[in-house]
Amino acid sequence: MTENAQQQPTAPITELPTQYTPAEVEGTLYERWVEKGYFTADAKSDKPPYTIVIPPPNVTGSLHLGHAFQHTLMDALTRRKRMQGYEALWLPGMDHAGIATQNKVEQQLAEEGKSRHDLGREEFVERVWQWKEEYGGRILGQMRRLGDGVDWSRERFTMDEGLSKAVLTIFKRLYEDELIYRAERIINWCPRCLTAISDIEVEYQEDAGELVSIRYGEGEDSLVVATTRAETMLGDTAVAVHPDDERYQHLIGKQIKLPLTDRTIPVVADTHVDPAFGTGAVKVTPAHDPNDFEIGRRHDLPSLTIMDEHGVITVHGPFLGLDRFEARSTVVGALKEQGRIVAEKRPYMHSVGHCSRCKTTVEPRLSMQWWVKVGPLAKAAGDAVRDGRVKIHPEDMSKRYFDWVDNMHDWCISRQLWWGHRIPIWYGPDGEVVCVGPDEEPPTGEGWTQDSDVLDTWFSSGLWPFSTLGWPEQTEDLRKFYPTDVLLTGHDIIFFWVARMMMFGLYAMDGQVPFHTIALTGLVRDEFGKKMSKSNPNAVDPLVWMDAYGSDAVRFTLANGANPGADVPIGEDWVKASRNFTNKIWNATRFALMNGATVEGPLPDASEMSATDRWILSRLNTTVAQVDAYYDDYQFAKLADALYHFAWDEVFDWYVELSKTTFFAGGEQARISGRVLGEVLDVTLRLLHPVIPFVTDALWTTLTGGESLVIGEWPADSGFRDKDAELEIELVQRVVTEVRRFRKDQGLKDGQKVPARLELDGTALAPHESAIRQLLRLQPEGEGFAATATLPVAGATVALDLSGTIDVAAERKRLAKDLAAAEKEKAQANAKLGNEAFLAKAPDNVVDKIRGRLAKADEDIARIQVQLDGLPQQ
């Protein structure tokens, strides 16, 4: 092909700018989607429903990478279903986040020199609502930046009027069914927040403590216990030993003296005690330890509370009024004076719970609280997964789910806060207890008071899948969109949220599951696999990356790391690579539009197409089928990888490059290839849209003139396959790849042109000579051509004239080294295949692999030998 023939053809100029600038596209495009109502679901539609309710972020929160990760996947699922013709509802909302929000407002008040008690309950709650309106919900605007296709018309809040009615309704039903009760139990208590807190709000870390060994009793009627919390001995009501421990048989049932007090306590036998740990004897403090509490219940022991809600000692004169940590050292000092310390204090690392909000050490505390009796509810939640009504994905996560629901303890639902759903229980002057439903008037008159506690945040969020759709009213939304289809959430809250939604959904909705699939994700980590934390320098604000590289780039990076249930490492370099991908899509589409790519008219008959056209259409349909299968299996990383390699490698690198000579030549074949290229781009942009919606919609509307990809049609596999065309283009790819590798080995620049003779006759490569020459920068051989290197590949021969461009001696040395390596590989493979003992034991797949290595070595030896023979003699 001549130089003139390879010049850029004249073509209409596309409306697309020469460069893609996300900031100029994303914001405007998103607002257009919302204004057009593309995300608003119609409960009256005849389309089949598809529903996802968003895990409600805290009203105090802002978008972090964990949110961005899960939102990207939920958005991809919803967008695809919408394109497939479903009435897709992705319902947004926020959680009132009891402790977190109350702490925010209390911090504001502290800056004013006030506390919530200065305001009183009603005024404080009003202040929280004001804070919510002014500062809450930042994350909702950030969700727009990410491109969340949620139905903003249905946005909910866990304390809005409808959800409050749902909370009161289910509380009363559970109470009347005797599934809610009030009792004294051990709970996690935060002395700073002054409330019970849930297990998920406790963060455990290894703290350095001191193990102290203390002698209880006198003479032969004594034993030694070890503890890291010496101050709690003031509340001991027994010492426990294992019933089979011979060392203590004479003490079981006896009373022994408790040091520092005027009390005696019994020695009880309990199988909970491990006789091999420490001295085999443990102190029992039922009011300040959950295990001790259970021992106390089994042996009918009294429970003595020795601290108030602030963690201050309330008993025993010398220690009265001391903070728990001050009391610890003071108690040890007093014991030492009495000679009760039988071993020096020694360092001891142990797991200690801290309040996730304020980092205060949590105190186990006996407290009167409200509880849900979870037994029958948890059984129903387990049965729904066991009988297949709900699928957990990945399936191996089911064990973790069953570990929770099969061993669940009753749930403490009361919190000593002012912000939240107040417990609807009224107490009368004569001991009356009345539960008041949503449409009932509370009792009035002198002496009637409402319970001062509020409900655990997880109580209201446990109703989320149906309360957001209007329950307890039988609304159109509830009839259309419940049960929801998939819950996509992190595996870290299987117990705290997933199990609660399962329990409440099955109970409130007459056995209907709240969702058909639980798709569990891992957690986002930094590029080295370390947990991201606000207190660490590795924490990343996704908005910073969106500003720098575009929201699509952040989304694609997150999806590309989303293997089911596995943690997701992410680094800025990966986001840059995704930005390069979006730029590649933009530039390649712009080139295609400038060279006649079109979606007008039907696709030409396959008989009119070139092998290159048939190959890309065959690969396109294979990719459609792969992507559908990956979506249905929640394999986001695999579908993103498949789309990336198809779009970048096969469409933009191979098909566009192989078709350039056709476009440059013009004529009927160029028209056919333009239509094929238009088809391929149309389908590729549709496939990419759920993951990277902004750039794809901007390009697709330009390419097709369509309204928006948001309401576009999801592509279907047409069934077209052409294996012959695929094999033919694979040969072209082998030739180009092999010669490119040779050029690189010789140090030739990418654009450097080299005279070459191509012997392609009799092979499927012959029709592709022009494309091969262009891709490899190979000039016609011309006068004086002398082949200095000959490359046999794919049944053809490429002879190159490298006169003056390579060091022949160095090339011989390189090839000789490669030949020696290939011969060594062949010898090793032959040795194994000639070993009868090895063949008798080795699995078939291992033997087949070695035979493949032998065949590859033979092929390499033949290829390298031909290359050596083709080099000029020195």
Side-chain angles (χ1 to χ4, degrees):
M1 184 174 290
T2 65
E3 292 289 322
N4 290 335
Q6 294 189 38
Q7 290 179 356
Q8 194 80 351
T10 301
I13 301 298
T14 172
E15 297 178 8
L16 292 173
T18 56
Q19 289 185 326
Y20 177 51
T21 307
E24 295 178 1
V25 173
E26 293 179 349
T28 303
L29 197 51
Y30 186 84
E31 292 308 316
R32 178 176 177 271
W33 294 337
V34 174
E35 289 169 8
K36 290 284 188 178
Y38 295 153
F39 305 138
T40 304
D42 181 2
K44 298 179 180 179
S45 167
D46 292 333
K47 296 177 182 179
Y50 183 82
T51 315
I52 296 179
V53 292
I54 206 165
N58 286 354
V59 68
T60 60
S62 59
L63 190 73
H64 57 64
L65 276 174
H67 290 129
F69 170 54
Q70 292 182 357
H71 288 204
T72 293
L73 306 187
M74 285 184 278
D75 196 28
L77 290 172
T78 311
R79 285 177 182 270
R80 173 175 174 257
K81 286 296 183 180
R82 187 179 291 114
M83 294 173 73
Q84 286 182 314
Y86 287 79
E87 194 62 42
L89 169 61
W90 186 19
L91 193 148
M94 292 184 298
D95 191 284
H96 65 278
I99 288 182
T101 308
Q102 179 156 322
N103 279 350
K104 288 281 188 183
V105 178
E106 287 195 84
Q107 288 166 13
Q108 272 192 347
L109 290 173
E111 292 171 3
E112 301 170 13
K114 299 178 182 177
S115 76
R116 59 176 162 137
H117 300 286
D118 293 323
L119 274 64
R121 183 168 193 143
E122 288 188 13
E123 189 176 341
F124 176 78
V125 170
E126 179 58 33
R127 179 75 175 256
V128 181
W129 277 107
Q130 291 172 8
W131 181 93
K132 185 259 181 185
E133 293 304 316
E134 186 172 355
Y135 299 104
R138 287 175 298 166
I139 194 171
L140 299 179
Q142 295 163 348
M143 286 162 55
R144 291 173 176 260
R145 282 289 314 278
L146 188 65
D148 282 9
V150 296
D151 185 346
W152 293 109
S153 72
R154 287 179 167 86
E155 180 190 337
R156 302 304 300 267
F157 180 54
T158 51
M159 282 185 62
D160 67 28
E161 184 178 350
L163 269 68
S164 295
K165 183 175 183 179
V167 167
L168 295 175
T169 300
I170 200 163
F171 187 99
K172 186 171 178 68
R173 289 189 188 179
L174 289 164
Y175 182 79
E176 291 178 345
D177 286 344
E178 298 183 347
L179 294 173
I180 282 182
Y181 63 94
R182 193 170 185 239
E184 271 197 320
R185 298 282 188 275
I186 290 283
I187 46 87
N188 301 309
W189 180 266
C190 176
R192 155 60 183 82
C193 299
L194 298 180
T195 181
I197 59 177
S198 67
D199 290 341
I200 197 173
E201 292 163 326
V202 179
E203 294 178 347
Y204 288 91
Q205 64 186 45
E206 290 296 311
D207 283 2
E210 290 182 327
L211 196 63
V212 182
S213 295
I214 310 169
R215 181 174 298 281
Y216 285 22
E218 305 292 343
E220 292 185 359
D221 290 346
S222 70
L223 39 67
V224 176
V225 300
T227 181
T228 58
R229 305 182 68 217
E231 73 282 4
T232 63
M233 66 159 293
L234 302 173
D236 285 357
T237 56
V239 172
V241 298
H242 194 277
D244 299 330
D245 194 331
E246 294 294 336
R247 294 171 293 178
Y248 303 118
Q249 290 296 311
H250 67 291
L251 288 177
I252 295 173
K254 286 188 175 182
Q255 296 280 326
I256 61 172
K257 181 76 167 60
L258 177 66
L260 305 183
T261 73
D262 58 1
R263 293 189 290 117
T264 60
I265 58 176
V267 177
V268 300
D270 197 283
T271 55
H272 171 76
V273 179
D274 179 1
F277 183 78
T279 64
V282 297
K283 56 191 289 298
V284 182
T285 320
H288 293 277
D289 183 274
N291 293 322
D292 293 4
F293 178 76
E294 294 302 325
I295 293 175
R297 291 179 71 178
R298 287 194 289 271
H299 297 277
D300 198 24
L301 300 173
S303 296
L304 302 181
T305 299
I306 62 161
M307 295 180 207
D308 66 12
E309 64 269 26
H310 297 279
V312 173
I313 302 297
T314 58
V315 296
H316 297 288
F319 314 108
L320 185 66
L322 292 180
D323 173 80
R324 53 188 168 152
F325 300 117
E326 293 177 301
R328 182 171 301 170
S329 58
T330 306
V331 165
V332 170
L335 289 167
K336 188 173 290 187
E337 287 181 10
Q338 292 188 6
R340 293 286 178 176
I341 303 296
V342 300
E344 289 297 321
K345 294 185 292 183
R346 58 186 177 87
Y348 183 76
M349 295 299 294
H350 59 142
S351 182
V352 178
H354 297 263
C355 174
S356 62
R357 304 298 176 191
C358 66
K359 310 308 177 188
T360 301
T361 299
V362 169
E363 188 65 40
R365 186 168 189 261
L366 184 63
S367 180
M368 181 67 76
Q369 302 284 345
W370 285 94
W371 303 81
V372 171
K373 183 179 179 181
V374 300
L377 303 174
K379 182 182 183 303
D383 290 345
V385 174
R386 287 190 169 94
D387 64 24
R389 283 175 288 157
V390 177
K391 303 289 187 184
I392 293 180
H393 187 87
E395 190 176 354
D396 58 11
M397 286 283 181
S398 298
K399 182 181 182 302
R400 186 178 300 188
Y401 175 81
F402 292 131
D403 285 345
W404 280 116
V405 298
D406 293 347
N407 301 285
M408 196 181 295
H409 300 294
D410 284 1
W411 169 21
C412 175
I413 56 172
S414 46
R415 298 291 180 266
Q416 289 64 56
L417 302 171
W418 288 355
W419 171 245
H421 294 281
R422 194 164 176 181
I423 289 178
I425 294 289
W426 268 256
Y427 304 105
D430 298 318
E432 303 96 331
V433 179
V434 176
C435 181
V436 178
D439 300 317
E440 299 171 347
E441 291 296 325
T444 58
E446 186 176 351
W448 283 93
T449 59
Q450 185 178 359
D451 195 296
S452 60
D453 289 352
V454 300
L455 288 163
D456 178 11
T457 297
W458 297 100
F459 190 94
S460 51
S461 62
L463 315 180
W464 192 249
F466 52 94
S467 64
T468 52
L469 296 172
W471 187 91
E473 307 301 328
Q474 294 302 306
T475 63
E476 282 188 329
D477 278 2
L478 195 64
R479 287 191 291 269
K480 177 74 173 180
F481 296 111
Y482 190 89
T484 67
D485 286 87
V486 60
L487 171 73
L488 190 144
T489 190
H491 61 64
D492 55 326
I493 56 173
I494 289 178
F495 170 64
F496 305 107
W497 190 44
V498 178
R500 284 156 166 69
M501 286 189 289
M502 286 284 284
M503 292 191 301
F504 281 168
L506 290 162
Y507 174 79
M509 298 300 293
D510 300 321
Q512 275 192 302
V513 297
F515 23 72
H516 298 300
T517 300
I518 302 169
L520 297 170
T521 70
L523 308 179
V524 177
R525 298 184 177 271
D526 70 13
E527 58 193 302
F528 305 107
K530 294 181 180 178
K531 182 180 179 180
M532 287 189 175
S533 170
K534 291 180 181 178
S535 59
N536 292 335
N538 67 350
V540 175
D541 181 351
L543 296 171
V544 173
W545 282 354
M546 289 184 210
D547 289 340
Y549 309 112
S551 298
D552 281 334
V554 174
R555 290 171 61 113
F556 191 80
T557 305
L558 291 165
N560 206 25
N563 290 299
D567 288 346
V568 184
I570 184 171
E572 187 167 6
D573 285 345
W574 304 343
V575 183
K576 290 179 182 177
S578 296
R579 185 270 317 272
N580 295 343
F581 180 48
T582 61
N583 287 344
K584 182 77 171 182
I585 298 169
W586 184 274
N587 294 333
T589 304
R590 186 172 182 276
F591 169 85
L593 289 168
M594 293 174 65
N595 287 276
T598 181
V599 295
E600 294 182 4
L603 271 176
D605 190 85
S607 61
E608 302 176 56
M609 298 180 191
S610 66
T612 306
D613 294 334
R614 298 195 306 277
W615 162 73
I616 197 62
L617 288 175
S618 182
R619 292 295 307 132
L620 175 68
N621 281 287
T622 297
T623 302
V624 170
Q626 285 179 332
V627 169
D628 275 333
Y630 290 144
Y631 262 116
D632 292 341
D633 199 33
Y634 303 96
Q635 297 278 359
F636 296 99
K638 289 183 177 180
L639 72 88
D641 187 67
L643 286 170
Y644 176 90
H645 287 293
F646 175 71
W648 190 308
D649 297 344
E650 298 189 276
V651 179
F652 303 144
D653 276 359
W654 283 108
Y655 180 70
V656 169
E657 293 298 321
L658 286 170
S659 300
K660 277 184 177 178
T661 53
T662 301
F663 291 134
F664 295 152
E668 179 63 12
Q669 195 58 53
R671 185 193 67 79
I672 292 172
S673 292
R675 179 64 187 89
V676 171
L677 179 54
E679 182 76 9
V680 171
L681 286 174
D682 177 14
V683 174
T684 302
L685 292 171
R686 291 173 193 263
L687 290 173
L688 285 165
H689 175 74
V691 179
I692 47 175
F694 293 108
V695 68
T696 51
D697 197 44
L699 292 173
W700 185 83
T701 53
T702 304
L703 171 70
T704 67
E707 182 179 344
S708 173
L709 254 184
V710 180
I711 54 172
E713 187 176 340
W714 182 254
D717 176 7
S718 71
F720 177 80
R721 301 289 191 279
D722 193 324
K723 291 299 179 185
D724 291 338
E726 290 193 35
L727 290 171
E728 186 171 320
I729 301 304
E730 283 177 16
L731 293 177
V732 174
Q733 292 172 323
R734 283 180 58 192
V735 170
V736 172
T737 301
E738 189 66 35
V739 177
R740 278 178 174 168
R741 184 172 66 179
F742 179 79
R743 286 176 59 107
K744 184 178 181 181
D745 289 341
Q746 304 313 308
L748 296 177
K749 296 178 181 178
D750 290 343
Q752 187 172 350
K753 295 178 180 178
V754 177
R757 180 173 63 245
L758 273 60
E759 297 176 5
L760 308 177
D761 292 343
T763 72
L765 295 165
H768 304 283
E769 179 170 352
S770 294
I772 291 172
R773 284 188 176 275
Q774 179 171 317
L775 289 169
L776 293 171
R777 304 294 190 268
L778 301 180
Q779 294 177 317
E781 50 192 288
E783 191 174 338
F785 175 83
T788 59
T790 304
L791 305 176
V793 58
T797 302
V798 178
L800 305 173
D801 183 354
L802 302 177
S803 304
T805 62
I806 66 167
D807 183 335
V808 175
E811 178 61 11
R812 280 190 176 279
K813 185 177 180 180
R814 183 190 70 80
L815 288 173
K817 183 179 178 181
D818 290 349
L819 182 61
E823 289 174 339
K824 181 179 180 181
E825 177 75 5
K826 178 179 180 179
Q828 290 175 340
N830 273 327
K832 287 188 175 181
L833 293 174
N835 185 332
E836 294 296 334
F838 170 78
L839 293 177
K841 295 179 181 179
D844 291 344
N845 65 317
V846 173
V847 175
D848 290 342
K849 187 176 180 180
I850 293 172
R851 286 180 178 140
R853 285 168 49 192
L854 177 61
K856 177 67 165 53
D858 282 334
E859 182 182 322
D860 288 344
I861 290 169
R863 173 180 56 79
I864 295 167
Q865 192 60 58
V866 171
Q867 289 177 319
L868 280 167
D869 294 342
L871 289 174
Q873 299 297 317
Q874 292 180 304

PDB file of all heavy atoms in Angstrom, residues 443-456:
ATOM      1  N   PRO A 443     -52.543   6.306  77.648  1.00  0.00           N
ATOM      2  CA  PRO A 443     -53.316   6.593  78.874  1.00  0.00           C
ATOM      3  C   PRO A 443     -52.904   7.931  79.468  1.00  0.00           C
ATOM      4  O   PRO A 443     -51.752   8.344  79.380  1.00  0.00           O
ATOM      5  CB  PRO A 443     -52.943   5.435  79.795  1.00  0.00           C
ATOM      6  CG  PRO A 443     -51.652   4.902  79.266  1.00  0.00           C
ATOM      7  CD  PRO A 443     -51.664   5.140  77.796  1.00  0.00           C
ATOM      8  N   THR A 444     -53.854   8.613  80.024  1.00  0.00           N
ATOM      9  CA  THR A 444     -53.585   9.925  80.620  1.00  0.00           C
ATOM     10  C   THR A 444     -53.997   9.923  82.081  1.00  0.00           C
ATOM     11  O   THR A 444     -54.653   8.997  82.558  1.00  0.00           O
ATOM     12  CB  THR A 444     -54.344  11.028  79.869  1.00  0.00           C
ATOM     13  OG1 THR A 444     -55.747  10.723  79.901  1.00  0.00           O
ATOM     14  CG2 THR A 444     -53.869  11.149  78.435  1.00  0.00           C
ATOM     15  N   GLY A 445     -53.605  10.941  82.753  1.00  0.00           N
ATOM     16  CA  GLY A 445     -53.966  11.050  84.161  1.00  0.00           C
ATOM     17  C   GLY A 445     -52.726  11.057  85.025  1.00  0.00           C
ATOM     18  O   GLY A 445     -51.608  10.781  84.582  1.00  0.00           O
ATOM     19  N   GLU A 446     -52.924  11.353  86.279  1.00  0.00           N
ATOM     20  CA  GLU A 446     -51.819  11.494  87.202  1.00  0.00           C
ATOM     21  C   GLU A 446     -51.097  10.167  87.391  1.00  0.00           C
ATOM     22  O   GLU A 446     -51.709   9.119  87.556  1.00  0.00           O
ATOM     23  CB  GLU A 446     -52.341  11.994  88.553  1.00  0.00           C
ATOM     24  CG  GLU A 446     -51.229  12.319  89.539  1.00  0.00           C
ATOM     25  CD  GLU A 446     -51.778  12.905  90.833  1.00  0.00           C
ATOM     26  OE1 GLU A 446     -52.987  13.207  90.874  1.00  0.00           O
ATOM     27  OE2 GLU A 446     -50.987  13.041  91.785  1.00  0.00           O
ATOM     28  N   GLY A 447     -49.777  10.244  87.307  1.00  0.00           N
ATOM     29  CA  GLY A 447     -48.960   9.063  87.573  1.00  0.00           C
ATOM     30  C   GLY A 447     -48.604   8.229  86.357  1.00  0.00           C
ATOM     31  O   GLY A 447     -47.821   7.284  86.461  1.00  0.00           O
ATOM     32  N   TRP A 448     -49.163   8.530  85.189  1.00  0.00           N
ATOM     33  CA  TRP A 448     -48.827   7.782  83.970  1.00  0.00           C
ATOM     34  C   TRP A 448     -47.594   8.402  83.303  1.00  0.00           C
ATOM     35  O   TRP A 448     -47.547   9.608  83.075  1.00  0.00           O
ATOM     36  CB  TRP A 448     -49.986   7.785  82.985  1.00  0.00           C
ATOM     37  CG  TRP A 448     -51.077   6.838  83.372  1.00  0.00           C
ATOM     38  CD1 TRP A 448     -52.183   7.109  84.114  1.00  0.00           C
ATOM     39  CD2 TRP A 448     -51.127   5.447  83.056  1.00  0.00           C
ATOM     40  NE1 TRP A 448     -52.953   5.987  84.285  1.00  0.00           N
ATOM     41  CE2 TRP A 448     -52.320   4.939  83.642  1.00  0.00           C
ATOM     42  CE3 TRP A 448     -50.301   4.573  82.351  1.00  0.00           C
ATOM     43  CZ2 TRP A 448     -52.700   3.597  83.535  1.00  0.00           C
ATOM     44  CZ3 TRP A 448     -50.679   3.237  82.239  1.00  0.00           C
ATOM     45  CH2 TRP A 448     -51.863   2.758  82.825  1.00  0.00           C
ATOM     46  N   THR A 449     -46.606   7.572  83.013  1.00  0.00           N
ATOM     47  CA  THR A 449     -45.394   8.047  82.336  1.00  0.00           C
ATOM     48  C   THR A 449     -44.992   7.067  81.234  1.00  0.00           C
ATOM     49  O   THR A 449     -45.243   5.866  81.343  1.00  0.00           O
ATOM     50  CB  THR A 449     -44.216   8.167  83.318  1.00  0.00           C
ATOM     51  OG1 THR A 449     -43.972   6.891  83.916  1.00  0.00           O
ATOM     52  CG2 THR A 449     -44.488   9.204  84.392  1.00  0.00           C
ATOM     53  N   GLN A 450     -44.370   7.615  80.201  1.00  0.00           N
ATOM     54  CA  GLN A 450     -43.877   6.763  79.115  1.00  0.00           C
ATOM     55  C   GLN A 450     -42.454   6.310  79.418  1.00  0.00           C
ATOM     56  O   GLN A 450     -41.668   7.044  80.035  1.00  0.00           O
ATOM     57  CB  GLN A 450     -43.890   7.517  77.772  1.00  0.00           C
ATOM     58  CG  GLN A 450     -43.492   6.618  76.587  1.00  0.00           C
ATOM     59  CD  GLN A 450     -43.546   7.346  75.251  1.00  0.00           C
ATOM     60  OE1 GLN A 450     -43.894   8.522  75.193  1.00  0.00           O
ATOM     61  NE2 GLN A 450     -43.211   6.646  74.178  1.00  0.00           N
ATOM     62  N   ASP A 451     -42.129   5.101  78.997  1.00  0.00           N
ATOM     63  CA  ASP A 451     -40.763   4.604  79.134  1.00  0.00           C
ATOM     64  C   ASP A 451     -39.805   5.615  78.498  1.00  0.00           C
ATOM     65  O   ASP A 451     -40.067   6.131  77.412  1.00  0.00           O
ATOM     66  CB  ASP A 451     -40.633   3.238  78.442  1.00  0.00           C
ATOM     67  CG  ASP A 451     -39.366   2.512  78.838  1.00  0.00           C
ATOM     68  OD1 ASP A 451     -38.272   3.024  78.528  1.00  0.00           O
ATOM     69  OD2 ASP A 451     -39.459   1.434  79.445  1.00  0.00           O
ATOM     70  N   SER A 452     -38.718   5.896  79.168  1.00  0.00           N
ATOM     71  CA  SER A 452     -37.810   6.957  78.702  1.00  0.00           C
ATOM     72  C   SER A 452     -36.838   6.483  77.633  1.00  0.00           C
ATOM     73  O   SER A 452     -36.192   7.301  76.973  1.00  0.00           O
ATOM     74  CB  SER A 452     -37.015   7.520  79.885  1.00  0.00           C
ATOM     75  OG  SER A 452     -36.242   6.494  80.499  1.00  0.00           O
ATOM     76  N   ASP A 453     -36.712   5.172  77.428  1.00  0.00           N
ATOM     77  CA  ASP A 453     -35.736   4.658  76.469  1.00  0.00           C
ATOM     78  C   ASP A 453     -36.240   4.754  75.032  1.00  0.00           C
ATOM     79  O   ASP A 453     -37.453   4.870  74.783  1.00  0.00           O
ATOM     80  CB  ASP A 453     -35.401   3.197  76.776  1.00  0.00           C
ATOM     81  CG  ASP A 453     -34.572   3.041  78.037  1.00  0.00           C
ATOM     82  OD1 ASP A 453     -34.130   4.081  78.573  1.00  0.00           O
ATOM     83  OD2 ASP A 453     -34.372   1.895  78.483  1.00  0.00           O
ATOM     84  N   VAL A 454     -35.292   4.668  74.093  1.00  0.00           N
ATOM     85  CA  VAL A 454     -35.638   4.579  72.675  1.00  0.00           C
ATOM     86  C   VAL A 454     -35.176   3.225  72.158  1.00  0.00           C
ATOM     87  O   VAL A 454     -34.421   2.502  72.823  1.00  0.00           O
ATOM     88  CB  VAL A 454     -34.993   5.720  71.848  1.00  0.00           C
ATOM     89  CG1 VAL A 454     -35.453   7.076  72.328  1.00  0.00           C
ATOM     90  CG2 VAL A 454     -33.474   5.615  71.836  1.00  0.00           C
ATOM     91  N   LEU A 455     -35.631   2.896  70.956  1.00  0.00           N
ATOM     92  CA  LEU A 455     -35.298   1.604  70.365  1.00  0.00           C
ATOM     93  C   LEU A 455     -33.948   1.644  69.653  1.00  0.00           C
ATOM     94  O   LEU A 455     -33.550   2.671  69.079  1.00  0.00           O
ATOM     95  CB  LEU A 455     -36.380   1.184  69.372  1.00  0.00           C
ATOM     96  CG  LEU A 455     -37.703   0.762  70.001  1.00  0.00           C
ATOM     97  CD1 LEU A 455     -38.814   0.773  68.964  1.00  0.00           C
ATOM     98  CD2 LEU A 455     -37.565  -0.621  70.636  1.00  0.00           C
ATOM     99  N   ASP A 456     -33.272   0.509  69.700  1.00  0.00           N
ATOM    100  CA  ASP A 456     -32.040   0.318  68.947  1.00  0.00           C
ATOM    101  C   ASP A 456     -32.276   0.699  67.481  1.00  0.00           C
ATOM    102  O   ASP A 456     -33.311   0.367  66.891  1.00  0.00           O
ATOM    103  CB  ASP A 456     -31.642  -1.159  69.054  1.00  0.00           C
ATOM    104  CG  ASP A 456     -30.392  -1.513  68.278  1.00  0.00           C
ATOM    105  OD1 ASP A 456     -29.679  -0.602  67.811  1.00  0.00           O
ATOM    106  OD2 ASP A 456     -30.128  -2.727  68.140  1.00  0.00           O
TER     107      ASP A 456
END
